Amino acid sequence: MTERPRVVVMGLDEDRWPEGARAVADVVDLEFATSREALAGALSGAEILFAWPGEDRGMLPAAWSRATRLRWIQTASDGVDWILFPELVESHVVLTNGRRVFDAAIAEYVLGLMLVFAKGWVPMLERQRRHEWRHRDTELLAGKRLLVAGVGPIGRAIGRAALALGMEVRGLGRTPRPGDDVFELVHGAAELPDAAGWADYVVDALPLTEGTRAMFDAAVFARMRPNARFVNVGRGATVDEEALVRALREGRIAGAALDVFEEEPLPAGSPLWDLPNVIVSPHISGDFAGWREAVVELFLANLARYLTGQPLENVVDKRLGYVVEPRLR
Amino acid sequence: MTERPRVVVMGLDEDRWPEGARAVADVVDLEFATSREALAGALSGAEILFAWPGEDRGMLPAAWSRATRLRWIQTASDGVDWILFPELVESHVVLTNGRRVFDAAIAEYVLGLMLVFAKGWVPMLERQRRHEWRHRDTELLAGKRLLVAGVGPIGRAIGRAALALGMEVRGLGRTPRPGDDVFELVHGAAELPDAAGWADYVVDALPLTEGTRAMFDAAVFARMRPNARFVNVGRGATVDEEALVRALREGRIAGAALDVFEEEPLPAGSPLWDLPNVIVSPHISGDFAGWREAVVELFLANLARYLTGQPLENVVDKRLGYVVEPRLR
């Protein structure tokens, strides 16, 4: 009898493992680790790591010397910036992510936030508290211009939802490319200031990589239209937050809805909490009820591939920091 | 030279008439009337009335005896309940409405309100005011069930927007009919309790007619699911508001977003202002910036048809109280 592979689940309490997925223990040894000590112990001899993002991002680097038999890491997230560190990038360990699990939820989240701005619902809810009936014309999204930075499955789902309401949709990727059924055209990263200046809504759905760090900076916000709203569901560090606060304070842009921040949880003293026309949410855009089950299901499907020697899905290019579309490889 | 027809514009100040539509005064005599006295004077000899909804719904009945030459009334609204009265219904005066002008705006409004509920944004905005970062899983609209009561162009636009997000969509019309490209099936009005009991979101986009008055009553709310949200962008009087308040207070339904009310403006003492999970808006769902211009454009197109003897568009069945779809005539 061959040895059963050991799977370490990092950052998830055993009691949150879905009931329907208990049977996996019949084919692999499952160990749960939510502390540095537990992880170091569990990683010895483990082939597979199923990694859930938590607050201690030093957990895996601290235990890395024990990961001598590790061959594959599956993340429970779409973004992988939180788990990447030089030794992992250099290693032969294969990294796969939660691609596609969060697309629909994030697209709904972004569409809704654009509608919250267009319909003026934040000030309207304040008037409701005062029992104040005041008619205001609303804005249409139909006919408005949306730029989506990040043209992977999440960006495409956002674009598709916006298209259905009659918006004009452009994308921004690493390199320029012709339009397709979602984006009328795709700008390259270098064109961000121009591309952002064209739009009524600018959505950041970027992964955090060396290329995207602080990509939304003062120069970009300066080029945006004064009526434009900025929505960030990508990663906080893709934005120069100080520059964003200045742009909002000076009225260079009309509003922002932020689900991700340079520092999370957003510090209680951040000016973003109280700026008018800013909506702050606690990194929940993708987290629909059922996302844990969906991510476990994705892991189990990949595990079946692993155990039968088939190629894994959602393999991340560790140097780029995201999954490269097959057609662009 | 033949006499130029006189057009009376009721309920709109002359200075709100769009600049681009001034030239209409070259072909018709345009008179503006915003008081009962002015209307009575202007209606004598007028062939055409362009009627904008205002607070005094007795204006037209009070001046009706002067309307001896009136042949056509165009409303600036989609709903016509506010202008109909027995003598008008009995008369030969043709009534046309603002059909299609408001479809996109109302569909966006409803979609956004469903997302506000699904994503928990009202309590989230309250937590933002307290600088409180608290993770909550959100709900998806994808896969949820939507019942749209009212299957004219507005109801269809709502259904289409919801379909694009992956909702399951049913309609409710006067009589049952098979499904089509928007509604998987259309219930008849008599089936409302069952139909509402199926849905996660119930949207009232009904015109107010004798058949729809207080259609959403205690019996309907009693059949709705406890997780269900009710959205009203139709007419306030299609709902038994007291029964709705009771259903909300007793937790029989999870929430309501109301843009229309039995009495408008909603009285400051109404319990609806303060009920948790209730969103109150001041009858604005269709009123996008530009709706006045769009309605005037629609009127001018119909006026051109009138002056050249072609059939008018958007002719209301005055007994039913709405435009009957050609295929159902």
Side-chain angles (χ1 to χ4, degrees):
Chain A
M1 201 179 139
T2 61
E3 214 180 320
R4 290 143 48 96
R6 183 188 297 169
V7 174
V8 176
V9 181
M10 172 179 102
L12 186 78
D13 283 322
E14 186 165 2
D15 55 11
R16 302 200 85 166
W17 186 259
E19 197 54 41
R22 301 265 169 219
V24 70
D26 297 345
V27 287
V28 298
D29 281 334
L30 212 53
E31 277 199 47
F32 290 81
T34 55
S35 69
R36 289 190 180 201
E37 299 64 39
L39 185 66
L43 267 185
S44 304
E47 270 179 52
I48 301 167
L49 179 68
F50 186 13
W52 296 65
E55 273 171 34
D56 180 6
R57 301 195 168 186
M59 252 175 105
L60 187 57
W64 191 245
S65 63
R66 316 291 287 270
T68 51
R69 297 194 54 186
L70 194 65
R71 295 181 57 191
W72 166 38
I73 300 175
Q74 167 76 52
T75 64
S77 59
D78 196 299
V80 295
D81 50 290
W82 63 276
I83 200 167
L84 285 175
F85 59 101
E87 290 81 357
L88 169 55
V89 173
E90 297 304 328
S91 75
H92 290 291
V93 174
V94 173
L95 180 66
T96 61
N97 74 0
R99 182 179 167 92
R100 296 209 177 270
V101 168
F102 305 95
D103 301 357
I106 296 178
E108 289 186 4
Y109 205 87
V110 170
L111 194 72
L113 288 171
M114 293 194 294
L115 286 165
V116 168
F117 282 127
K119 306 310 174 188
W121 281 328
V122 175
M124 192 187 80
L125 287 167
E126 282 163 22
R127 289 195 291 272
Q128 178 176 346
R129 274 200 299 280
R130 298 192 300 266
H131 296 205
E132 186 185 335
W133 178 281
R134 183 144 49 100
H135 187 281
R136 286 284 174 103
D137 285 351
T138 66
E139 296 170 21
L140 280 176
L141 288 191
K144 295 294 192 306
R145 297 162 165 188
L146 166 64
L147 176 75
V148 185
V151 291
I154 291 173
R156 294 183 68 80
I158 294 167
R160 213 172 284 117
L163 264 188
L165 291 189
M167 298 185 82
E168 241 187 286
V169 183
R170 295 183 178 179
L172 183 129
R174 204 155 53 98
T175 51
R177 42 171 143 141
D180 56 36
D181 58 314
V182 174
F183 301 113
E184 63 178 33
L185 61 89
V186 175
H187 292 280
E191 300 164 288
L192 177 55
D194 278 349
W198 165 85
D200 299 301
Y201 292 87
V202 176
V203 174
D204 178 348
L206 291 168
L208 178 60
T209 68
E210 279 323 301
T212 65
R213 190 174 293 278
M215 209 164 128
F216 283 91
D217 59 10
V220 174
F221 294 122
R223 290 291 293 283
M224 280 174 63
R225 299 154 69 118
N227 70 299
R229 278 82 173 221
F230 176 68
V231 177
N232 192 359
V233 289
R235 282 292 185 254
T238 60
V239 175
D240 177 345
E241 225 167 64
E242 256 187 62
L244 172 61
V245 168
R246 267 199 315 277
L248 286 161
R249 282 196 170 132
E250 294 169 4
R252 290 175 184 280
I253 65 173
L258 308 169
D259 190 50
V260 290
F261 303 89
E262 283 180 0
E263 186 182 343
E264 294 178 15
L266 182 64
S270 166
L272 288 170
W273 289 108
D274 295 319
L275 279 181
N277 307 320
V278 171
I279 298 172
V280 167
S281 64
H283 201 144
I284 57 172
S285 71
D287 294 352
F288 62 97
W291 74 270
R292 290 174 194 82
E293 290 74 10
V295 154
V296 168
E297 198 177 308
L298 183 152
F299 168 67
L300 295 181
N302 248 352
L303 179 63
R305 288 185 197 97
Y306 180 89
L307 295 174
T308 54
Q310 297 169 72
L312 298 179
E313 292 211 335
N314 298 357
V315 175
V316 172
D317 180 321
K318 291 186 289 181
R319 280 176 212 287
L320 287 177
Y322 52 89
V323 177
V324 177
E325 302 275 351
R327 61 183 169 139
L328 293 177
R329 266 181 194 146
Chain B
M1 201 182 141
T2 63
E3 216 181 316
R4 290 146 46 98
R6 183 190 295 168
V7 174
V8 176
V9 182
M10 174 180 99
L12 187 78
D13 284 323
E14 185 164 1
D15 56 12
R16 302 200 84 166
W17 187 259
E19 196 57 41
R22 301 266 170 219
V24 69
D26 297 346
V27 288
V28 297
D29 281 334
L30 212 53
E31 277 198 47
F32 291 80
T34 55
S35 69
R36 290 190 179 201
E37 299 67 38
L39 185 66
L43 268 185
S44 305
E47 269 179 52
I48 303 167
L49 179 67
F50 186 12
W52 295 65
E55 274 170 36
D56 180 6
R57 300 195 166 187
M59 253 177 105
L60 186 58
W64 192 245
S65 63
R66 316 292 288 270
T68 52
R69 298 193 56 187
L70 194 65
R71 296 182 56 192
W72 166 38
I73 300 175
Q74 167 76 54
T75 64
S77 59
D78 195 298
V80 295
D81 50 289
W82 63 275
I83 200 168
L84 284 175
F85 59 101
E87 291 82 354
L88 169 55
V89 173
E90 298 303 327
S91 74
H92 290 291
V93 173
V94 173
L95 180 65
T96 61
N97 74 359
R99 183 179 165 95
R100 295 209 178 271
V101 167
F102 305 96
D103 301 357
I106 296 177
E108 291 186 2
Y109 205 86
V110 170
L111 194 73
L113 288 172
M114 293 194 293
L115 287 165
V116 168
F117 282 126
K119 306 310 173 188
W121 282 327
V122 174
M124 191 187 81
L125 288 166
E126 281 164 22
R127 290 195 290 272
Q128 178 177 346
R129 273 199 301 279
R130 298 193 299 265
H131 296 204
E132 187 185 335
W133 178 281
R134 181 143 52 100
H135 187 280
R136 286 283 173 106
D137 285 351
T138 65
E139 296 169 23
L140 280 177
L141 288 191
K144 295 295 191 306
R145 298 161 164 190
L146 167 64
L147 176 74
V148 185
V151 291
I154 291 173
R156 294 183 69 81
I158 293 166
R160 213 173 283 117
L163 264 188
L165 291 189
M167 298 185 82
E168 238 186 289
V169 183
R170 295 184 178 178
L172 183 130
R174 204 155 51 98
T175 52
R177 40 170 144 140
D180 55 35
D181 59 314
V182 174
F183 300 113
E184 63 178 31
L185 62 88
V186 176
H187 292 280
E191 300 164 288
L192 177 55
D194 278 349
W198 165 85
D200 301 299
Y201 292 88
V202 175
V203 174
D204 177 348
L206 291 168
L208 178 60
T209 68
E210 279 323 300
T212 65
R213 189 174 296 276
M215 209 165 127
F216 284 91
D217 58 11
V220 175
F221 294 122
R223 291 291 293 282
M224 281 174 63
R225 299 154 71 117
N227 70 300
R229 278 83 174 221
F230 176 69
V231 177
N232 192 359
V233 289
R235 281 291 185 256
T238 61
V239 175
D240 176 345
E241 224 167 66
E242 259 187 60
L244 173 61
V245 168
R246 267 200 314 276
L248 287 161
R249 281 196 171 134
E250 294 169 4
R252 292 177 182 278
I253 65 174
L258 309 168
D259 190 50
V260 289
F261 303 89
E262 282 180 0
E263 186 183 343
E264 294 176 16
L266 182 64
S270 167
L272 289 169
W273 289 109
D274 295 318
L275 279 180
N277 308 321
V278 171
I279 298 172
V280 167
S281 66
H283 202 146
I284 58 171
S285 71
D287 294 353
F288 62 96
W291 73 271
R292 289 174 194 80
E293 290 74 11
V295 155
V296 168
E297 200 177 304
L298 182 154
F299 168 67
L300 295 181
N302 248 352
L303 178 63
R305 288 185 198 98
Y306 180 89
L307 295 173
T308 54
Q310 297 170 71
L312 298 179
E313 292 210 335
N314 298 359
V315 175
V316 172
D317 180 321
K318 290 185 289 180
R319 280 177 212 286
L320 288 177
Y322 53 89
V323 177
V324 176
E325 302 274 352
R327 60 183 171 142
L328 293 179
R329 268 182 194 146

